[in-house]
C-alpha cells in the first residue's frame, strides 16, 4: 500500500472509531460519515473517499473493533452489495 493511501486509511479508521465513541453504544454510522469527517473541503469531494472509508471499515471489522451491517445484521465483505452501516463490535 502506498504511504499516502496508508495514512488516509489510518485517518479514516480513527474517524470511524471517534464517531462511534461519540454515539450511543448501539448506534451505527455510515461510511460517508467518516469520509465527510476526513475530507478537508466544503464541497462533495468526500465522495471520492467512500471506497477508502469502506475498506477502513472492513479492516476494523477484521480486527474485531467494529461490525459492518446491512439491515441491522452483521455481514461479511464478500457477500455485501450496496449500502452498509458500521457499529461497535458486540463483545
Amino acid at each position: 500500500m502506498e504511504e499516502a493511501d496508508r495514512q488516509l486509511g489510518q485517518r479514516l479508521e480513527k474517524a470511524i472509531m471517534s464517531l462511534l465513541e461519540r454515539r450511543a453504544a448501539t448506534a451505527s454510522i455510515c461510511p460517508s460519515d467518516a469520509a465527510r469527517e476526513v475530507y478537508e473541503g466544503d464541497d462533495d469531494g468526500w465522495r471520492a473517499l467512500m471506497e477508502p472509508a469502506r475498506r477502513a471499515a472492513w479492516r476494523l471489522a477484521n480486527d474485531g473493533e467494529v461490525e459492518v451491517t446491512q439491515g441491522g445484521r452483521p455481514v461479511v465483505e464478500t457477500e455485501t452489495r450496496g449500502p452498509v452501516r458500521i457499529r461497535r463490535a458486540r463483545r
Side-chain angles (χ1 to χ4, degrees), residues 68-89:
V68 177
T69 66
Q70 284 187 316
R73 289 190 210 78
V75 290
V76 295
E77 188 171 8
T78 55
E79 298 172 358
T80 305
R81 298 276 180 278
V84 297
R85 306 268 315 158
I86 308 161
R87 68 182 182 203
R88 279 183 260 200

Side-chain angles (χ1 to χ4, degrees), residues 5-72:
D5 290 343
R6 194 174 63 75
Q7 287 179 352
L8 174 62
Q10 288 174 337
R11 287 176 50 216
L12 286 161
E13 288 174 22
K14 285 182 181 149
I16 289 168
M17 295 309 293
S18 174
L19 286 162
L20 287 173
E21 285 165 14
R22 297 193 307 250
R23 286 176 170 72
T26 56
S28 65
I29 62 167
C30 179
S32 67
D33 296 327
R36 286 183 177 98
E37 180 103 348
V38 168
Y39 182 64
E40 293 170 351
D42 55 4
D43 56 11
D44 66 357
W46 59 268
R47 292 179 187 280
L49 299 181
M50 281 300 294
E51 196 49 44
R54 287 173 71 102
R55 286 195 304 268
W58 287 115
R59 282 193 303 277
L60 289 169
N62 290 335
D63 290 344
E65 297 291 324
V66 302
E67 290 178 338
V68 177
T69 66
Q70 284 187 316

